[in-house]
Amino acid sequence: MAQIRIENLHKTFDQFAAVHDSNFAIEDGTFFALLGPSGCGKTTTLRMIAGLELPTDGRILLDGEDVTFRRAAARDIAFVFQLFALYPHMNVEQNIGFPLKCQGMPRREIRERVRETARLLRIEDLLPSKTSKLSGGDRQRVALGRAMVRRPKAFLMDEPLGALDAEFRQLMCGELRDLHDRIAATTIYVTHDQLEAMSMADQIAVMNAGRIEQIGTPQEIYDRPASLFVADFIGSPPMNFLHFEAALEPGSRSVQVGNASIAVPEIREGRPSGPLVLGVRPEHIRFSDTGALRGRVFGAEYLGTTQIVTVETEPGRVRARLPSSLPVEVGEIVNLTFRASRLALFDAQTGSAIKTESHESVGHG
Ligand code: ATP
């Protein structure tokens, strides 16, 4: 399998920079997700790695070898699209074996490789079936089989589950990750769906407007977002943002938001000042008798074991994830406390996270 390295990758269409100076390294066997909203440059990045698009600048290295100008067919990488067209006049076995037939592999060998692939995908019983008779999920498995049968160095997947309904997508996410664990193939998976990326990937690169905002494990990205964009994009319901003005000193351990003094992780770098943003995830908020921030309950959404309670406070609306067993009445005045160690601070102008002690600890303190 393969290590993939991207160095200063850049792509412009006319004057428009679709991908801006991207850098990352994917270790052998890693499941790597490229995550971001529509139009942020995910597909363009993937197409350059596949050899379907030429970069304007930068290099692509596959196992240390520069493949930037090598044609797609010579890169030994399999590309799986969302709507992978299967050949309707061939059965499943012929569809999966087709790439090997094109390579001129002897028939007996093709048969063995197709069976082995079908076994891995648990679709052996489907081999004689016509593809037109298959469900969406099975079609996707056959498409994967056709990509896997060549034993490529890496898999590139562009929203492969996009066409499936939500329930099936969840099932396929589990299957794809399970398959990845069994064959340990380096995989780059493009998606705009944070839950897909969070549930499957070892590493996630979050993209925004052609740039990579952050690369990290799902937990690093969730717990210590590098920017307001990442903090907002990851998490459902999203992180709450409270805007305030301040001039903070290194070592500061509290901020004044409206008329509330809120304990925060210690400031470790610089003297953040001007318009700042305090970020708090809904699950790090509790009601208390003497909380820092007062507000009025605006509404509550019941979600089974938890409820999302929206509270109007002076600096803005805050959504808290609380146990459903907690009695909450619309209109009541409540005090909110935040779990200090899990709060994030951002510079409102640059959007960058401010370095605090929480960046130095991975724990859940
Ligand atoms: P989506 O999920 O909607 O496909 P994406 O993140 O994959 O989004 P890209 O398809 O990489 O985004 O597109 C990035 C930007 O580059 C978009 O603004 C798109 O319009 C533009 N773009 C992509 N391909 C071309 C092209 N061939 N010519 C001109 N502009 C292009």
Side-chain angles (χ1 to χ4, degrees):
M1 284 299 163
Q3 189 220 43
I4 299 170
R5 249 175 100 90
I6 302 305
E7 293 180 354
N8 308 318
L9 202 64
H10 200 82
K11 178 72 186 179
T12 49
F13 294 108
D14 299 323
Q15 304 295 318
F16 176 74
V19 174
H20 202 97
D21 207 17
S22 257
N23 285 282
F24 54 81
I26 305 174
E27 292 310 320
D28 187 15
T30 302
F31 197 119
F32 187 89
L34 271 177
L35 172 68
S38 181
C40 71
K42 307 179 297 289
T43 298
T44 306
T45 303
L46 207 64
R47 286 176 57 81
M48 288 192 279
I49 297 169
L52 302 172
E53 197 84 66
L54 215 52
T56 313
D57 215 339
R59 298 203 307 163
I60 298 161
L61 294 110
L62 196 58
D63 281 335
E65 210 180 322
D66 189 340
V67 297
T68 316
F69 298 104
R70 194 177 292 173
R71 63 198 169 81
R75 289 192 191 194
D76 205 5
I77 284 177
F79 205 118
V80 184
F81 295 97
Q82 180 182 339
L83 295 169
F84 206 102
L86 299 175
Y87 302 112
H89 57 285
M90 295 182 193
N91 67 17
V92 169
E93 179 163 8
Q94 289 160 332
N95 261 281
I96 295 178
F98 192 69
L100 303 182
K101 194 173 168 193
C102 294
Q103 286 176 4
M105 188 180 275
R107 268 169 67 178
R108 184 191 294 186
E109 227 174 294
I110 296 180
R111 216 177 139 75
E112 275 170 23
R113 286 270 281 269
V114 169
R115 294 211 164 261
E116 179 199 318
T117 305
R119 213 167 21 248
L120 274 169
L121 287 162
R122 303 191 175 115
I123 52 169
E124 290 156 284
D125 55 323
L126 295 181
L127 287 175
S129 310
K130 279 253 184 290
T131 54
S132 54
K133 299 261 189 304
L134 301 178
S135 67
D138 285 337
R139 291 177 69 84
Q140 205 58 249
R141 289 184 191 101
V142 176
L144 272 173
R146 199 160 66 175
M148 281 165 59
V149 80
R150 287 196 293 117
R151 295 181 185 155
K153 281 189 165 180
F155 290 99
L156 307 185
M157 303 191 185
D158 194 353
E159 307 255 9
L161 310 181
L164 306 179
D165 61 41
E167 193 187 338
F168 226 74
R169 205 152 68 204
Q170 217 175 3
L171 186 78
M172 284 302 288
C173 277
E175 275 195 30
L176 269 182
R177 181 64 222 200
D178 175 57
L179 184 67
H180 175 82
D181 291 341
R182 280 183 283 134
I183 63 175
T186 310
T187 302
I188 307 185
Y189 188 96
V190 158
T191 180
H192 65 274
D193 184 330
Q194 49 141 341
L195 290 178
E196 267 183 26
M198 297 289 275
S199 64
M200 280 193 280
D202 300 309
Q203 290 270 316
I204 299 177
V206 183
M207 289 190 75
N208 175 29
R211 291 172 196 271
I212 294 182
E213 295 254 339
Q214 185 172 7
I215 299 177
T217 63
Q219 192 184 352
E220 282 163 353
I221 285 182
Y222 187 81
D223 286 349
R224 295 192 300 283
S227 66
L228 273 172
F229 176 84
V230 175
D232 194 31
F233 196 74
I234 306 281
S236 176
M239 188 179 257
N240 296 287
F241 297 122
L242 298 174
H243 292 255
F244 65 105
E245 293 259 347
L248 303 176
E249 292 292 325
S252 294
R253 284 185 158 274
S254 72
V255 296
Q256 193 71 27
V257 180
N259 48 22
S261 172
I262 296 175
V264 294
E266 187 181 321
I267 307 294
R268 284 290 163 91
E269 228 176 74
R271 292 184 155 69
S273 63
L276 303 177
V277 180
L278 178 70
V280 52
R281 294 230 177 256
E283 62 271 30
H284 299 140
I285 304 176
R286 288 286 171 266
F287 286 177
S288 70
D289 295 335
T290 54
L293 199 60
R294 272 171 83 77
R296 182 186 295 274
V297 173
F298 176 79
E301 296 158 56
Y302 176 73
L303 295 178
T305 50
T306 60
Q307 58 183 333
I308 305 297
V309 181
T310 305
V311 180
E312 298 271 19
T313 71
E314 191 226 306
R317 260 188 198 180
V318 171
R319 300 180 85 198
R321 185 186 289 276
L322 299 166
S324 295
S325 51
L326 187 81
V328 175
E329 276 190 40
V330 172
E332 74 173 307
I333 302 295
V334 292
N335 289 304
L336 305 178
T337 49
F338 301 153
R339 194 166 164 190
S341 61
R342 308 304 300 279
L343 299 184
L345 286 164
F346 302 93
D347 181 314
Q349 272 157 347
T350 62
S352 299
I354 292 164
K355 275 261 162 64
T356 65
E357 67 182 323
S358 75
H359 287 88
E360 291 155 24
S361 63
V362 193
H364 285 264

mmCIF file with all atom_site columns, all heavy atoms in Angstrom, residues 165-177:
data_model
loop_
_atom_site.group_PDB
_atom_site.id
_atom_site.type_symbol
_atom_site.label_atom_id
_atom_site.label_alt_id
_atom_site.label_comp_id
_atom_site.label_asym_id
_atom_site.label_entity_id
_atom_site.label_seq_id
_atom_site.pdbx_PDB_ins_code
_atom_site.Cartn_x
_atom_site.Cartn_y
_atom_site.Cartn_z
_atom_site.occupancy
_atom_site.B_iso_or_equiv
_atom_site.pdbx_formal_charge
_atom_site.auth_seq_id
_atom_site.auth_comp_id
_atom_site.auth_asym_id
_atom_site.auth_atom_id
_atom_site.pdbx_PDB_model_num
ATOM 1   N N   . ASP A 1 165 ? -29.767 6.445  0.669  1.00 0.00 ? 165 ASP A N   1
ATOM 2   C CA  . ASP A 1 165 ? -30.587 7.120  1.689  1.00 0.00 ? 165 ASP A CA  1
ATOM 3   C C   . ASP A 1 165 ? -29.883 7.030  3.042  1.00 0.00 ? 165 ASP A C   1
ATOM 4   O O   . ASP A 1 165 ? -28.946 6.251  3.234  1.00 0.00 ? 165 ASP A O   1
ATOM 5   C CB  . ASP A 1 165 ? -32.014 6.566  1.727  1.00 0.00 ? 165 ASP A CB  1
ATOM 6   C CG  . ASP A 1 165 ? -32.063 5.113  2.065  1.00 0.00 ? 165 ASP A CG  1
ATOM 7   O OD1 . ASP A 1 165 ? -31.296 4.702  2.950  1.00 0.00 ? 165 ASP A OD1 1
ATOM 8   O OD2 . ASP A 1 165 ? -32.843 4.378  1.433  1.00 0.00 ? 165 ASP A OD2 1
ATOM 9   N N   . ALA A 1 166 ? -30.333 7.864  3.992  1.00 0.00 ? 166 ALA A N   1
ATOM 10  C CA  . ALA A 1 166 ? -29.587 8.079  5.237  1.00 0.00 ? 166 ALA A CA  1
ATOM 11  C C   . ALA A 1 166 ? -29.302 6.785  5.991  1.00 0.00 ? 166 ALA A C   1
ATOM 12  O O   . ALA A 1 166 ? -28.175 6.561  6.438  1.00 0.00 ? 166 ALA A O   1
ATOM 13  C CB  . ALA A 1 166 ? -30.366 9.033  6.127  1.00 0.00 ? 166 ALA A CB  1
ATOM 14  N N   . GLU A 1 167 ? -30.315 5.915  6.085  1.00 0.00 ? 167 GLU A N   1
ATOM 15  C CA  . GLU A 1 167 ? -30.158 4.696  6.870  1.00 0.00 ? 167 GLU A CA  1
ATOM 16  C C   . GLU A 1 167 ? -29.080 3.801  6.249  1.00 0.00 ? 167 GLU A C   1
ATOM 17  O O   . GLU A 1 167 ? -28.208 3.269  6.921  1.00 0.00 ? 167 GLU A O   1
ATOM 18  C CB  . GLU A 1 167 ? -31.502 3.969  6.908  1.00 0.00 ? 167 GLU A CB  1
ATOM 19  C CG  . GLU A 1 167 ? -31.557 2.875  7.928  1.00 0.00 ? 167 GLU A CG  1
ATOM 20  C CD  . GLU A 1 167 ? -32.844 2.080  7.787  1.00 0.00 ? 167 GLU A CD  1
ATOM 21  O OE1 . GLU A 1 167 ? -33.829 2.622  7.223  1.00 0.00 ? 167 GLU A OE1 1
ATOM 22  O OE2 . GLU A 1 167 ? -32.843 0.932  8.205  1.00 0.00 ? 167 GLU A OE2 1
ATOM 23  N N   . PHE A 1 168 ? -29.139 3.677  4.927  1.00 0.00 ? 168 PHE A N   1
ATOM 24  C CA  . PHE A 1 168 ? -28.203 2.832  4.208  1.00 0.00 ? 168 PHE A CA  1
ATOM 25  C C   . PHE A 1 168 ? -26.793 3.402  4.240  1.00 0.00 ? 168 PHE A C   1
ATOM 26  O O   . PHE A 1 168 ? -25.807 2.688  4.264  1.00 0.00 ? 168 PHE A O   1
ATOM 27  C CB  . PHE A 1 168 ? -28.664 2.674  2.760  1.00 0.00 ? 168 PHE A CB  1
ATOM 28  C CG  . PHE A 1 168 ? -28.596 1.253  2.341  1.00 0.00 ? 168 PHE A CG  1
ATOM 29  C CD1 . PHE A 1 168 ? -29.542 0.365  2.820  1.00 0.00 ? 168 PHE A CD1 1
ATOM 30  C CD2 . PHE A 1 168 ? -27.569 0.805  1.547  1.00 0.00 ? 168 PHE A CD2 1
ATOM 31  C CE1 . PHE A 1 168 ? -29.454 -0.974 2.488  1.00 0.00 ? 168 PHE A CE1 1
ATOM 32  C CE2 . PHE A 1 168 ? -27.483 -0.519 1.209  1.00 0.00 ? 168 PHE A CE2 1
ATOM 33  C CZ  . PHE A 1 168 ? -28.429 -1.423 1.669  1.00 0.00 ? 168 PHE A CZ  1
ATOM 34  N N   . ARG A 1 169 ? -26.750 4.730  4.244  1.00 0.00 ? 169 ARG A N   1
ATOM 35  C CA  . ARG A 1 169 ? -25.457 5.394  4.258  1.00 0.00 ? 169 ARG A CA  1
ATOM 36  C C   . ARG A 1 169 ? -24.713 5.052  5.551  1.00 0.00 ? 169 ARG A C   1
ATOM 37  O O   . ARG A 1 169 ? -23.523 4.761  5.546  1.00 0.00 ? 169 ARG A O   1
ATOM 38  C CB  . ARG A 1 169 ? -25.671 6.903  4.157  1.00 0.00 ? 169 ARG A CB  1
ATOM 39  C CG  . ARG A 1 169 ? -24.483 7.591  3.568  1.00 0.00 ? 169 ARG A CG  1
ATOM 40  C CD  . ARG A 1 169 ? -24.835 8.831  2.862  1.00 0.00 ? 169 ARG A CD  1
ATOM 41  N NE  . ARG A 1 169 ? -25.283 9.832  3.791  1.00 0.00 ? 169 ARG A NE  1
ATOM 42  C CZ  . ARG A 1 169 ? -26.062 10.839 3.465  1.00 0.00 ? 169 ARG A CZ  1
ATOM 43  N NH1 . ARG A 1 169 ? -26.500 10.952 2.240  1.00 0.00 ? 169 ARG A NH1 1
ATOM 44  N NH2 . ARG A 1 169 ? -26.401 11.734 4.335  1.00 0.00 ? 169 ARG A NH2 1
ATOM 45  N N   . GLN A 1 170 ? -25.467 5.048  6.623  1.00 0.00 ? 170 GLN A N   1
ATOM 46  C CA  . GLN A 1 170 ? -24.876 4.728  7.922  1.00 0.00 ? 170 GLN A CA  1
ATOM 47  C C   . GLN A 1 170 ? -24.332 3.300  7.930  1.00 0.00 ? 170 GLN A C   1
ATOM 48  O O   . GLN A 1 170 ? -23.211 3.052  8.385  1.00 0.00 ? 170 GLN A O   1
ATOM 49  C CB  . GLN A 1 170 ? -25.937 4.885  9.001  1.00 0.00 ? 170 GLN A CB  1
ATOM 50  C CG  . GLN A 1 170 ? -25.378 5.434  10.268 1.00 0.00 ? 170 GLN A CG  1
ATOM 51  C CD  . GLN A 1 170 ? -26.488 5.697  11.266 1.00 0.00 ? 170 GLN A CD  1
ATOM 52  O OE1 . GLN A 1 170 ? -27.669 5.411  11.020 1.00 0.00 ? 170 GLN A OE1 1
ATOM 53  N NE2 . GLN A 1 170 ? -26.135 6.229  12.397 1.00 0.00 ? 170 GLN A NE2 1
ATOM 54  N N   . LEU A 1 171 ? -25.123 2.392  7.363  1.00 0.00 ? 171 LEU A N   1
ATOM 55  C CA  . LEU A 1 171 ? -24.712 0.993  7.284  1.00 0.00 ? 171 LEU A CA  1
ATOM 56  C C   . LEU A 1 171 ? -23.443 0.869  6.452  1.00 0.00 ? 171 LEU A C   1
ATOM 57  O O   . LEU A 1 171 ? -22.485 0.199  6.834  1.00 0.00 ? 171 LEU A O   1
ATOM 58  C CB  . LEU A 1 171 ? -25.844 0.190  6.644  1.00 0.00 ? 171 LEU A CB  1
ATOM 59  C CG  . LEU A 1 171 ? -25.652 -1.313 6.598  1.00 0.00 ? 171 LEU A CG  1
ATOM 60  C CD1 . LEU A 1 171 ? -25.957 -1.898 7.972  1.00 0.00 ? 171 LEU A CD1 1
ATOM 61  C CD2 . LEU A 1 171 ? -26.577 -1.920 5.552  1.00 0.00 ? 171 LEU A CD2 1
ATOM 62  N N   . MET A 1 172 ? -23.415 1.569  5.304  1.00 0.00 ? 172 MET A N   1
ATOM 63  C CA  . MET A 1 172 ? -22.265 1.482  4.401  1.00 0.00 ? 172 MET A CA  1
ATOM 64  C C   . MET A 1 172 ? -21.020 2.121  5.016  1.00 0.00 ? 172 MET A C   1
ATOM 65  O O   . MET A 1 172 ? -19.905 1.688  4.749  1.00 0.00 ? 172 MET A O   1
ATOM 66  C CB  . MET A 1 172 ? -22.574 2.139  3.049  1.00 0.00 ? 172 MET A CB  1
ATOM 67  C CG  . MET A 1 172 ? -23.466 1.324  2.147  1.00 0.00 ? 172 MET A CG  1
ATOM 68  S SD  . MET A 1 172 ? -22.836 -0.318 1.753  1.00 0.00 ? 172 MET A SD  1
ATOM 69  C CE  . MET A 1 172 ? -21.488 0.061  0.630  1.00 0.00 ? 172 MET A CE  1
ATOM 70  N N   . CYS A 1 173 ? -21.220 3.170  5.836  1.00 0.00 ? 173 CYS A N   1
ATOM 71  C CA  . CYS A 1 173 ? -20.082 3.782  6.532  1.00 0.00 ? 173 CYS A CA  1
ATOM 72  C C   . CYS A 1 173 ? -19.388 2.729  7.381  1.00 0.00 ? 173 CYS A C   1
ATOM 73  O O   . CYS A 1 173 ? -18.158 2.591  7.336  1.00 0.00 ? 173 CYS A O   1
ATOM 74  C CB  . CYS A 1 173 ? -20.541 4.885  7.487  1.00 0.00 ? 173 CYS A CB  1
ATOM 75  S SG  . CYS A 1 173 ? -20.809 6.439  6.707  1.00 0.00 ? 173 CYS A SG  1
ATOM 76  N N   . GLY A 1 174 ? -20.187 1.981  8.129  1.00 0.00 ? 174 GLY A N   1
ATOM 77  C CA  . GLY A 1 174 ? -19.643 0.924  8.981  1.00 0.00 ? 174 GLY A CA  1
ATOM 78  C C   . GLY A 1 174 ? -18.930 -0.117 8.142  1.00 0.00 ? 174 GLY A C   1
ATOM 79  O O   . GLY A 1 174 ? -17.829 -0.563 8.465  1.00 0.00 ? 174 GLY A O   1
ATOM 80  N N   . GLU A 1 175 ? -19.550 -0.498 7.009  1.00 0.00 ? 175 GLU A N   1
ATOM 81  C CA  . GLU A 1 175 ? -18.960 -1.521 6.149  1.00 0.00 ? 175 GLU A CA  1
ATOM 82  C C   . GLU A 1 175 ? -17.648 -1.058 5.536  1.00 0.00 ? 175 GLU A C   1
ATOM 83  O O   . GLU A 1 175 ? -16.685 -1.802 5.452  1.00 0.00 ? 175 GLU A O   1
ATOM 84  C CB  . GLU A 1 175 ? -19.925 -1.865 5.010  1.00 0.00 ? 175 GLU A CB  1
ATOM 85  C CG  . GLU A 1 175 ? -20.925 -2.884 5.425  1.00 0.00 ? 175 GLU A CG  1
ATOM 86  C CD  . GLU A 1 175 ? -21.638 -3.495 4.236  1.00 0.00 ? 175 GLU A CD  1
ATOM 87  O OE1 . GLU A 1 175 ? -21.050 -3.582 3.150  1.00 0.00 ? 175 GLU A OE1 1
ATOM 88  O OE2 . GLU A 1 175 ? -22.796 -3.857 4.415  1.00 0.00 ? 175 GLU A OE2 1
ATOM 89  N N   . LEU A 1 176 ? -17.629 0.210  5.101  1.00 0.00 ? 176 LEU A N   1
ATOM 90  C CA  . LEU A 1 176 ? -16.415 0.748  4.468  1.00 0.00 ? 176 LEU A CA  1
ATOM 91  C C   . LEU A 1 176 ? -15.264 0.768  5.463  1.00 0.00 ? 176 LEU A C   1
ATOM 92  O O   . LEU A 1 176 ? -14.134 0.436  5.124  1.00 0.00 ? 176 LEU A O   1
ATOM 93  C CB  . LEU A 1 176 ? -16.660 2.179  3.976  1.00 0.00 ? 176 LEU A CB  1
ATOM 94  C CG  . LEU A 1 176 ? -17.147 2.340  2.552  1.00 0.00 ? 176 LEU A CG  1
ATOM 95  C CD1 . LEU A 1 176 ? -17.296 3.813  2.226  1.00 0.00 ? 176 LEU A CD1 1
ATOM 96  C CD2 . LEU A 1 176 ? -16.187 1.689  1.574  1.00 0.00 ? 176 LEU A CD2 1
ATOM 97  N N   . ARG A 1 177 ? -15.555 1.168  6.692  1.00 0.00 ? 177 ARG A N   1
ATOM 98  C CA  . ARG A 1 177 ? -14.500 1.234  7.700  1.00 0.00 ? 177 ARG A CA  1
ATOM 99  C C   . ARG A 1 177 ? -14.026 -0.184 8.031  1.00 0.00 ? 177 ARG A C   1
ATOM 100 O O   . ARG A 1 177 ? -12.839 -0.442 8.185  1.00 0.00 ? 177 ARG A O   1
ATOM 101 C CB  . ARG A 1 177 ? -15.025 1.960  8.938  1.00 0.00 ? 177 ARG A CB  1
ATOM 102 C CG  . ARG A 1 177 ? -14.030 2.111  10.044 1.00 0.00 ? 177 ARG A CG  1
ATOM 103 C CD  . ARG A 1 177 ? -12.846 2.975  9.666  1.00 0.00 ? 177 ARG A CD  1
ATOM 104 N NE  . ARG A 1 177 ? -11.597 2.409  10.148 1.00 0.00 ? 177 ARG A NE  1
ATOM 105 C CZ  . ARG A 1 177 ? -10.456 3.093  10.306 1.00 0.00 ? 177 ARG A CZ  1
ATOM 106 N NH1 . ARG A 1 177 ? -10.396 4.361  9.984  1.00 0.00 ? 177 ARG A NH1 1
ATOM 107 N NH2 . ARG A 1 177 ? -9.375  2.504  10.725 1.00 0.00 ? 177 ARG A NH2 1
#
